[in-house]
Amino acid sequence: MTDPQLPPTTPHGSVPPIPSPPSPYGTPPSQTAPSYQNPPSYQTPPGAYAAPVGGYAAPAGSYQAPAPAPAQPRSAVLGIVAFVLSIVAAVVAPIVAGFAGYQIGFQLPTVTQYVDPTTSDLSFLSPVRDQVLIGEIGFWVGTLGGIAAIVLGIMAIVKRAGRVWGVVALILAVLGPVIFFVVLGATLGAGAGAGAVSTYGP
């Protein structure tokens, strides 16, 4: 018999285990927490209104932004004008200078014999004053045309309004003065040589 003052013994002779208190989250402690690596996917409940895939179309008659106008190619007039002015400076003006230079050179041998070397008087050019005037006109026309061609050529390059024409015009306008004086010097020498032969020749 057992002593009634002693606690009852279990059949196995050990104290029974103390039950675990319930979890405040309702999950038994022996169970593991759910994994959140693959969360459940939520689907639209049946009967719900579904939006169209392509979005909502604008109602008929509503305001719509106008479509942007296609880019228009810029006119090349500016570059072409610059090219024409550069032709005046690099081609037309040297041709005029060449004509006047040859005539001046051809008549110089007949007037240089009356030149006083002790003075700087240019009155000996009086017989060829018309040719000198033509040469001066050609020089100033070429100068103004070259300056205008440089300005318009740079504008055409910056604005892309005939960019190729502008580049060519810029090059010709810069070379214009060089071409002018080279042609003038060559024709003066050629005219002087021809005039000397005709004046002092047999």
Side-chain angles (χ1 to χ4, degrees), residues 97-125:
F99 171 78
Y102 185 85
Q103 295 296 326
I104 294 172
F106 186 83
Q107 298 187 36
L108 278 181
T110 59
V111 297
T112 51
Q113 54 185 339
Y114 304 106
V115 175
D116 185 3
T118 61
T119 63
S120 58
D121 187 13
L122 298 179
S123 59
F124 69 95
L125 293 176

Side-chain angles (χ1 to χ4, degrees), residues 75-96:
S75 176
V77 174
L78 191 61
I80 294 176
V81 171
F83 175 75
V84 172
L85 292 174
S86 68
I87 291 295
V88 172
V91 178
V92 177
I95 290 176
V96 174

